[in-house]
Amino acid sequence: MAQHSQEKTVTGHSPTPLAAQAGAAHRLLSLDIVLALLALTGGLRVLYLAAPTPALPTEAANVAHAYALGHLTSFTDAGGAGASPLGWLQLSAYTMVSDAFGRSATALAAVRETMLVAAVIGAVLLWFLARRLGLARWASAAAVVLLAASPLALGLQRLVVVEHLAVVWALGALVLITKPGARIRHDVVAAICLLAAVLTSPLALFFLPAAGWLLVRRAPERAALVAVLLNLGLGIAFGPAAGTLRPHLAPAGRPAVADWVALDPAWAVLSAVALVAALAVTALRPFAVSGLLLAATLLVPGVPDTAVLALLLPVTTVLVAGVAQAVTRRRTPAHRWHARRRPRRGLAPAGAVLVATVAAGWAYGYPALRPSADRAGPLAEARDWVRANASGAQLLVDDAAWAELAKAGWPTGLLAAPAACAVACPPAEWAVFGTGGTDLRKRYPALDGAFANAGTTAVFGAGDRRVTVSRLGLPPADPAAPSEASEASARAHAGEALTASARITLAPDAAAVLRAGRADPRLIATIAALAALQPVRVVAFPEVPGEDPAGQPRRRVLLTGGEDDAAAFYTGQRDLFRPSSVTRTADGVLVTYPLFAPSGLLVPSSSP
């Protein structure tokens, strides 16, 4: 009976209910596996989305272009970031449809969400591609897990790099090409996907050998059709429409391939072995050729390593899993790429070696990623500081600050990017720049003139994440005015006198600020005047975030006791001693003075 049922199935007749149930069970199992892999891929990327390192300097330009396109405003990046009009359009489309800019804490987080979605879609396509290449469920799942959980992939796929979009298009094309019983419409859509991949990143051209090989293997006439469509599209895009669609790569820079490999040495070892070994496996050979061509570009000077690795990662994970399956079967798979074979026994030893190698590499790479729950960061702190202290001013900003301030609602007409300094910088009152300011000054010498009379006012973050806010156009130093050292000495002398006053009660931290000369001279003078009227209790001189690292005096004070009289006293001040705000809080009266106290308010002999 079983033999009869099998014969009916093979000859095309309806399968038996038992066979239908078995097929449904297999499909449900595959669905469960895919959902679990999607949860793993998305969950890990949400966790590491805000990881501070590795950082990519050119990421900011892609974020700014995505915002500008979605909000129909103009933006010219500082250069060195490459160009991908179609890639920027895809980023912009997602952020607009999903309202990512409105939901996210920063512009960078909004556009990185697109990378997360691309990674999840790529994981689904990778599963289907692996299955259609003849990989068993365990091997297909291993390929996706390698991509989903590799520290290298987590660090790389969170960055706003258009190659992550290009690889999704390329995987989509390969899935369609390897579809059993594919028709002309599938090949036409595959050609469109390949065209989109190449227009998103020129490096996607290296997927064409694999796609062409698979098409020729299946149906040569279809390969000719896809080639014609692809050449027609590329001819238009690189010809009449070159000004609108033609992409070009960013120049090479950090992170280099060695920086990425340090996150997952096991990936580098397994990928190198798989790229060569897969040449002996018929089903994997087209992908091995494309992978080797991509890997070879890492040796070409000027090609960005980050972009190459973004395209190479999915290829190598499939090859590693496919080679592992071939080893467990003790023979190469069938010559037809869609053949299905049951894996033989003996999977455990090879699998154990693979798992041990991967675990050793991941144990080294995961601690270096350092997941962060902070979705804001130094640039967001600088944004908030500028909004509070320089609202409505003309700003000179780098690409990252342009996107962040534009997202926060700052009029883009008041934001001048470095590209505006090609000849001379437009008039600006403030500047917001990250650590790349030195390189930008080399590229745009006019920036030196803008910073000629600038003073550092606030500093946020440290190292590669440092963001500096500078006041531009300060008047030249007056030779007759007290020096900064004498000003600090006067503040320290007057502060010491306040700490000795019997009418002033100071918290230990507040007394330390006064003795160190770190209090604003207007606060010192007004506290002394208030103490002449009533006893004063100073709880703290709260720091304005970012100003202590810039050497700015503390310009806020928190007072308790006699709060009504203290609030009235400060509210009634005039001219130089008028605060910018007097606020009643649960802890007392918070008095805040504006930036830049006039010099010469205190002299060393002043006393309370």
Side-chain angles (χ1 to χ4, degrees):
M1 182 65 181
Q3 182 179 1
H4 178 66
S5 299
Q6 184 179 1
E7 290 175 356
K8 289 182 66 178
T9 303
V10 172
T11 55
H13 296 284
S14 300
T16 64
L18 184 59
Q21 291 176 4
H26 285 301
R27 287 192 294 271
L28 287 175
L29 177 59
S30 295
L31 178 61
D32 290 341
I33 295 173
V34 170
L35 291 177
L37 293 173
L38 291 184
L40 177 66
T41 303
L44 286 175
R45 276 150 185 77
V46 168
L47 181 62
Y48 286 93
L49 193 67
T53 55
L56 183 67
T58 58
E59 186 180 21
N62 290 330
V63 174
H65 279 294
Y67 181 90
L69 275 175
H71 292 79
L72 302 179
T73 187
S74 61
F75 172 75
T76 303
D77 61 65
S84 177
L86 183 59
W88 296 336
L89 183 62
Q90 295 170 62
L91 296 174
S92 177
Y94 174 83
T95 55
M96 292 299 102
V97 170
S98 65
D99 190 31
F101 284 115
R103 293 183 290 100
S104 302
T106 65
L108 179 61
V111 186
R112 279 188 174 181
E113 185 180 306
T114 313
M115 301 296 97
L116 188 153
V117 173
V120 172
I121 296 174
V124 175
L125 294 174
L126 193 66
W127 165 268
F128 280 107
L129 179 61
R131 293 293 288 155
R132 289 181 178 179
L133 290 174
L135 272 65
R137 287 189 183 87
W138 70 266
S140 301
V144 179
V145 168
L146 287 172
L147 182 63
S150 167
L152 191 158
L154 291 175
L156 179 59
Q157 291 187 331
R158 82 189 203 292
L159 297 178
V160 182
V161 178
V162 294
E163 281 71 21
H164 296 318
L165 304 175
V167 79
V168 170
W169 287 111
L171 289 175
L174 294 171
V175 168
L176 289 169
I177 291 171
T178 53
K179 177 181 173 60
R183 299 188 177 183
I184 292 181
R185 64 175 181 270
H186 298 114
D187 294 335
V188 171
V189 176
I192 294 173
C193 289
L194 288 172
L195 178 62
V198 174
L199 294 182
T200 301
S201 171
L203 287 173
L205 284 166
F206 290 105
F207 282 95
L208 298 186
W213 195 327
L214 293 171
L215 281 167
V216 169
R217 179 184 291 176
R218 189 191 66 194
E221 66 281 1
R222 299 279 188 86
L225 172 64
V226 171
V228 169
L229 294 175
L230 188 59
N231 285 324
L232 178 62
L234 291 176
I236 295 173
F238 285 81
T244 303
L245 291 175
R246 183 174 181 175
H248 66 81
L249 294 174
R254 301 195 70 85
V257 64
D259 301 317
W260 290 116
V261 169
L263 291 177
D264 192 354
W267 172 84
V269 174
L270 293 174
S271 296
V273 173
L275 283 169
V276 176
L279 293 173
V281 182
T282 304
L284 303 177
R285 194 171 296 143
F287 299 91
V289 171
S290 286
L292 287 170
L293 291 173
L294 272 171
T297 61
L298 293 172
L299 304 176
V300 178
V303 176
D305 295 343
T306 300
V308 174
L309 291 176
L311 297 171
L312 189 59
L313 267 172
V315 176
T316 56
T317 55
V318 169
L319 295 180
V320 169
V323 169
Q325 175 174 291
V327 170
T328 61
R329 293 177 175 180
R330 308 287 184 181
R331 55 185 173 85
T332 58
H335 68 280
R336 298 179 62 186
W337 50 262
H338 61 274
R340 297 288 193 269
R341 293 188 180 272
R342 295 176 178 267
R344 292 183 175 181
R345 295 180 179 179
L347 179 151
V353 172
L354 179 62
V355 170
T357 305
V358 170
W362 290 2
Y364 180 84
Y366 267 104
L369 277 180
R370 299 196 309 274
S372 174
D374 182 12
R375 292 293 190 266
L379 185 56
E381 295 173 358
R383 171 203 66 197
D384 295 340
W385 188 96
V386 171
R387 292 177 69 186
N389 296 280
S391 180
Q394 182 81 34
L395 305 182
L396 184 62
V397 296
D398 61 12
D399 292 349
W402 189 96
E404 196 55 54
L405 288 164
K407 186 243 181 210
W410 204 283
T412 55
L414 297 178
L415 298 174
C421 297
V423 178
C425 290
E429 302 167 67
W430 295 87
V432 184
F433 277 79
T435 55
T438 303
D439 293 336
L440 289 174
R441 291 190 191 189
K442 294 178 181 178
R443 192 175 300 157
Y444 298 101
L447 283 172
D448 286 330
F451 281 88
N453 295 311
T456 300
T457 309
V459 177
F460 302 89
D464 292 340
R465 305 187 74 202
R466 178 186 172 103
V467 179
T468 302
V469 180
S470 303
R471 185 71 164 93
L472 304 180
L474 294 176
D478 185 357
S483 65
E484 179 57 36
S486 62
E487 285 281 330
S489 176
R491 293 195 301 267
H493 187 276
E496 185 68 36
L498 287 185
T499 62
S501 174
R503 294 179 62 82
I504 301 175
T505 303
L506 296 162
D509 289 344
V513 170
L514 286 171
R515 292 192 182 98
R518 293 167 54 203
D520 189 290
R522 293 165 295 184
L523 285 177
I524 294 175
T526 52
I527 289 173
L530 180 60
L533 301 176
Q534 66 180 52
V536 178
R537 179 176 177 82
V538 179
V539 177
F541 291 94
E543 174 195 1
V544 177
E547 294 186 11
D548 271 13
Q552 297 293 331
R554 299 277 181 98
R555 54 189 179 91
R556 297 197 297 187
V557 67
L558 183 63
L559 305 171
T560 60
E563 295 175 11
D564 291 338
D565 293 336
F569 172 81
Y570 277 100
T571 303
Q573 296 298 308
R574 295 290 181 269
D575 300 329
L576 297 178
F577 297 99
R578 182 180 183 85
S580 57
S581 67
V582 179
T583 308
R584 299 291 295 268
T585 70
D587 298 322
V589 176
L590 180 64
V591 179
T592 304
Y593 273 90
L595 286 162
F596 310 123
S599 62
L601 289 180
L602 301 174
V603 293
S605 61
S606 60
S607 59

